[in-house]
Amino acid sequence: MNDSKVDGSELRVESKTEAVTSDAQPSTKNSQLHLSPGQRAWHRFQKNRAANWSAWFLVFLLVIIIAWPLALKISGGNFAKTYDPDQLSDAQFAPPGAQHWFGTDMHGRDVLSRTLYGAQISLLVGVVGAGVSLIIGVLWGAVAGYVGGRVDSALMRIVDILYSLPSIIFVIVLITTLGEILKQSHLFRQSPALAGASRVVLLFVGLGSISWLTMARIVRGQVLSLRSRAFVEASRTLGAGTPRILFYHIIPNIFGVAITYVALTVPSIILYESFLSFLGLGVQAPMASWGTLISDGVGQINPIRIYWWMIIFPGGVLVTTLLALNFLGDGLRDAWDVKGK
């Protein structure tokens, strides 16, 4: 008799717990239904640890890049001279230590400061190139996919022609051709600073000219699947024009895909810039980027001694940043990819 009572009480307890869990599940589902697509993507992104750590690392790197020049200007004195990226000294090839954390180069300049200043140019080129990819690629692909017909055929044939060209060779030819034209001008001969800044602008033009091609194809494919949806047909029936449909209905619905690809475009453009600067076709001295710093370190390799800190530290920051950007892009892709969940 006692055992039967105990069993009956356990059954009642289990039935109550099942009822509670069954009631809790619909409530969580209902709460998820009230979230916007952006909020759902944010919740999925927070569950990705690699993407979160990568985002925090990039924020930390940006804070250091912004704060370091300000610290040099505010501090002044011996500290500013020691860590000035362009300050020459007698401490050539000094190994990493308490005074120079990343060591010094062949001219006695602090490698840490040059790495942080070089990060400004490398990241700036990556962000600008990704911005060009976002603006041109989204508009090009959206117009081609929505209008269709001859417009779609003409726009995508231009993309195919540019795709058929070897991208890195195309950028090299473009940069060298425009660079020679600018060198012959009277204005650039009299202003060395303007000539140095023109190399960065040429990187923007060259890398931006090839960065939007894949974005245009991806956006066009998304727009082809959206233009026959009910909300687009309803807007067209109410008399909305093509620009309004594109900017108010089509483009907001491909925002997640565009942002994901932009995050994956930044590391590829940074890698292109570092490669061009390593070859001497990008940023020129006295300006620095990660590519020029690695090139300086490789140039000092000799059978007697290898100054490893001139390669390891700039290369390590470059590789770590590229990994963080790739992890961030993968996290954004998983967060916005509803079909894959």
Side-chain angles (χ1 to χ4, degrees), residues 20-33:
V20 171
T21 55
S22 63
D23 293 338
Q25 290 177 355
S27 62
T28 56
K29 292 180 179 180
N30 292 330
S31 62
Q32 291 289 333
L33 291 176

Side-chain angles (χ1 to χ4, degrees), residues 162-173 206-207 210 213 272:
L162 293 176
Y163 245 123
S164 65
L165 301 175
S167 58
I168 190 64
I169 297 178
F170 174 75
V171 173
I172 290 174
V173 172
L207 296 176
I210 63 171
L213 300 176
Y272 270 129

Side-chain angles (χ1 to χ4, degrees), residues 141-191:
V143 171
Y146 181 77
V147 177
R150 294 182 179 179
V151 175
D152 181 22
S153 179
L155 292 179
M156 298 315 296
R157 292 300 75 76
I158 295 175
V159 173
D160 293 337
I161 292 172
L162 293 176
Y163 245 123
S164 65
L165 301 175
S167 58
I168 190 64
I169 297 178
F170 174 75
V171 173
I172 290 174
V173 172
L174 183 63
I175 290 177
T176 53
T177 303
L178 294 178
E180 289 298 326
I181 294 174
L182 293 177
K183 284 182 180 179
Q184 300 301 325
S185 63
H186 181 71
L187 179 61
F188 284 84
R189 288 180 180 179
Q190 293 184 342
S191 177

Side-chain angles (χ1 to χ4, degrees), residues 71-85:
L72 294 181
K73 291 181 180 180
I74 295 173
S75 62
N78 190 28
F79 181 84
K81 292 181 180 179
T82 302
Y83 293 101
D84 187 351

Side-chain angles (χ1 to χ4, degrees), residues 309-326:
W309 56 88
M310 295 181 60
I311 303 175
I312 295 298
F313 289 115
V317 176
L318 172 62
V319 171
T320 307
T321 304
L322 294 179
L323 285 175
L325 288 169
N326 280 303

Side-chain angles (χ1 to χ4, degrees), residues 40-52 54-55 256 259-260 263-264 323-337 341:
R40 295 177 190 174
W42 172 246
H43 284 295
R44 287 191 291 267
F45 179 79
Q46 287 181 318
K47 296 178 182 179
N48 192 328
R49 292 186 177 180
N52 277 288
S54 299
I259 291 300
T260 300
L264 295 173
L323 285 175
L325 288 169
N326 280 303
F327 282 136
L328 179 63
D330 291 338
L332 291 174
R333 181 186 59 194
D334 296 337
W336 286 98
D337 187 12
K341 296 297 179 182

